[in-house]
Amino acid sequence: MDTDTVRSPAADDSAGRRREQRGWYFYDWACSVYSTSVLTVFLGPYLTSVAEAAADADGFVHPLGVPVRAGSFFAYAVSLSVVVAVLVMPLVGAAADRTGRKKPLLAAAAYTGAAATAGMFFLDGDRYLLGGLLLVAANAAQSVAMMLYNSYLPQIAPPEERDAVSSRGWAFGYAAGALVLVANLVLYTGHESFGVSEGMAVRICLASAGLWWGAFALIPLRRLRDRRTPAREAALPGFRQLAATVRDMRKHPLTLAFLLAYLVYNDGIQTVISQASVYGSRELGLGQSTLIVAVLLVQVLAVAGALLLGRLAPRYGAKRTILGSLVAWTLTLAAGYFLPAGAPGWFFVLAAGIGLVLGGSQALSRSLFSQLVPPGKEAEYFSAYEISDRGLSWLGPLLFGLTYQLTGSYRDAIVSLVGFFVLGFVLLARVPVRRAIADAGNPVPQRI
């Protein structure tokens, strides 16, 4: 036998791990178009217009007999989806850890979300209730699927690889979001030349995100493997399971301390993402086309930012790199306070700054948290992580809104968010991550 063709078990393990990692990246590629094209750009304005078409003379719709202003329907539907996700994620996470069968649960969540998003093609006329139901299903399913997806990270990458693997996953997601958004914007802005109405163009864009999600989800579902785990007790219902997870996390107070720091600075990140367009349109007087180009710029540069910070982490450690990104966030927001009105060029500079730190700070936070999770409890702990990522990001918008209400200035409102990054920096700096990793029962990398 030719000895050159003989592969060692270690080489086979490495090849199998790389294959799983490449499959794992593609779930971010699959689902990120939902966040970008559906949630960020198209669905909010379109669903609001559908609700307004169904509203009474006073501007109210009446889902289940409850009077709701048409302009608030989208926000309430998003909030309801978060409540559903908070109820379901701990239950699914505990079941995934107990059975070791994450992949069927990931498939169920992914295709529920993809089908609901594709179904938005039928959202026309005054079908606001259909739109609300599809939004709740898609958004909650995405949260559940992302929790399961994230929980694979400790299983497919050893500690020394996780920063790079997590960063590549985020980069894949932002790249897909940018690619599909460009195609959608070509259709939307040139809908007359394609022979479709503006509403039909939006519905095609919404449905295409669901089809993209479902098609590319096949790749990770073919490549990821389930791992058998020791039998554990049955999962508890909803909030009881979440409470049980939190009680278990109290046995690992340093893991909980990191999650608190992440909750604080991620609240700032999510608020900047959701309110930057409001700041650009209301305070700086920028048009919709300028804001869409800024979203694209953030998406493209977030790819480079995620990969760049992923390369810096092995040299300086994930914790130091995240702390550096929080300093960059603070400086970017401070600079945003001084942006002149009616100057899109400077707004693009702000968008570029956000893009460069956005992907990396999120990717490294995910990889660092993965090292603080006790073995065998990955999905359960990542359900708490996902809830803090999606379900608890309400303080920032509240502070933003209150600051504007009290001062009448969006500049004051945007700079008020600096506190989240400063406090998050202080809380994270106080976490001894090497001891936290050891206390969780995981091997401590040489540099962290």
Side-chain angles (χ1 to χ4, degrees):
M1 179 182 293
D2 184 355
T3 57
D4 290 341
T5 64
V6 176
R7 296 175 59 87
S8 68
D12 289 337
D13 288 346
S14 177
R17 188 171 72 248
R18 295 281 186 267
R19 185 174 187 275
E20 268 198 286
Q21 289 172 0
R22 288 192 291 270
W24 186 80
Y25 301 148
F26 268 97
Y27 188 74
D28 235 326
W29 175 272
C31 74
S32 290
V33 298
Y34 167 81
S35 299
T36 305
S37 289
V38 177
L39 274 187
T40 304
V41 177
F42 289 110
L43 184 58
Y46 185 71
L47 181 55
T48 299
S49 69
V50 172
E52 288 172 346
D56 59 22
D58 296 321
F60 285 85
V61 290
H62 300 268
L64 303 179
V66 178
V68 173
R69 283 197 179 276
S72 300
F73 182 74
F74 174 74
Y76 288 149
V78 172
S79 297
L80 178 59
S81 74
V82 171
V83 173
V84 173
V86 167
L87 288 170
V88 173
M89 278 193 290
L91 185 64
V92 174
D97 287 334
R98 187 184 75 251
T99 64
R101 292 178 58 79
K102 294 180 186 178
K103 195 156 68 169
L105 295 170
L106 175 60
Y111 282 103
T112 297
T117 306
M120 291 176 187
F121 178 80
F122 301 102
L123 177 57
D124 62 350
D126 59 359
R127 297 178 179 176
Y128 75 97
L129 267 181
L130 174 63
L133 290 172
L134 292 175
L135 170 57
V136 169
N139 221 32
Q142 190 207 31
S143 296
V144 173
M146 283 301 295
M147 175 267 294
L148 294 165
Y149 164 74
N150 287 336
S151 71
Y152 269 101
L153 181 59
Q155 298 179 339
I156 65 172
E160 66 274 9
E161 293 182 3
R162 285 183 201 164
D163 292 337
V165 170
S166 182
S167 297
R168 291 188 197 115
W170 278 105
F172 264 60
Y174 282 117
L179 178 65
V180 174
L181 185 55
V182 168
N184 286 341
L185 290 178
V186 168
L187 173 62
Y188 177 72
T189 57
H191 61 87
E192 291 181 351
S193 61
F194 289 103
V196 297
S197 67
E198 181 177 331
M200 175 63 77
V202 171
R203 289 160 51 202
I204 292 173
C205 291
L206 295 172
S208 68
L211 296 176
W212 178 285
W213 188 354
F216 284 104
L218 290 171
I219 298 175
L221 291 173
R222 286 180 61 88
R223 294 194 175 188
L224 292 172
R225 296 187 296 111
D226 281 332
R227 274 83 170 168
R228 292 190 177 275
T229 58
R232 294 178 57 200
E233 66 276 7
L236 299 171
F239 279 120
R240 289 179 60 196
Q241 181 59 56
L242 177 60
T245 301
V246 172
R247 284 196 300 271
D248 188 77
M249 292 181 75
R250 291 174 64 183
K251 302 175 185 176
H252 305 280
L254 297 181
T255 299
L256 203 55
F258 171 83
L259 194 60
L260 175 62
Y262 172 74
L263 185 154
V264 171
Y265 68 74
N266 182 66
D267 200 353
I269 292 173
Q270 298 303 321
T271 307
V272 172
I273 293 172
S274 65
Q275 302 301 322
S277 61
V278 175
Y279 182 66
S281 61
R282 297 289 186 256
E283 184 68 33
L284 304 182
L286 303 176
Q288 184 67 27
S289 60
T290 299
L291 298 176
I292 292 175
V293 172
V295 170
L296 271 174
L297 183 61
V298 169
Q299 293 289 313
V300 172
L301 289 180
V303 176
L307 296 176
L308 174 62
L309 267 66
R311 287 182 175 272
L312 292 176
R315 177 179 298 180
Y316 299 104
K319 178 182 173 181
R320 288 183 179 178
T321 307
I322 295 171
L323 290 173
S325 75
L326 298 181
V327 173
W329 273 106
T330 301
L331 296 175
T332 301
L333 286 185
Y337 179 85
F338 298 101
L339 289 186
W346 286 110
F347 189 72
F348 292 149
V349 172
L350 180 70
I354 291 172
L356 287 173
V357 293
L358 174 61
S361 55
Q362 293 176 314
L364 294 181
S365 297
R366 175 172 65 184
S367 62
L368 183 54
F369 181 73
S370 74
Q371 304 201 55
L372 309 180
V373 176
K377 297 185 176 181
E378 292 85 2
E380 186 177 344
Y381 271 57
F382 266 106
S383 70
Y385 180 87
E386 193 70 16
I387 288 169
S388 69
D389 186 16
R390 299 175 186 274
L392 300 180
S393 295
W394 55 271
L395 281 173
L398 177 62
L399 177 62
F400 187 91
L402 286 176
T403 304
Y404 177 74
Q405 181 172 328
L406 293 173
T407 66
S409 169
Y410 282 110
R411 294 184 187 273
D412 292 337
I414 201 75
V415 83
S416 71
L417 302 178
V418 166
F420 287 93
F421 297 101
V422 173
L423 180 57
F425 180 99
V426 172
L427 292 174
L428 178 58
R430 292 169 58 87
V431 179
V433 292
R434 299 185 71 85
R435 182 150 59 91
I437 293 171
D439 288 353
N442 295 316
V444 181
Q446 185 175 0
R447 185 178 294 275
I448 186 65

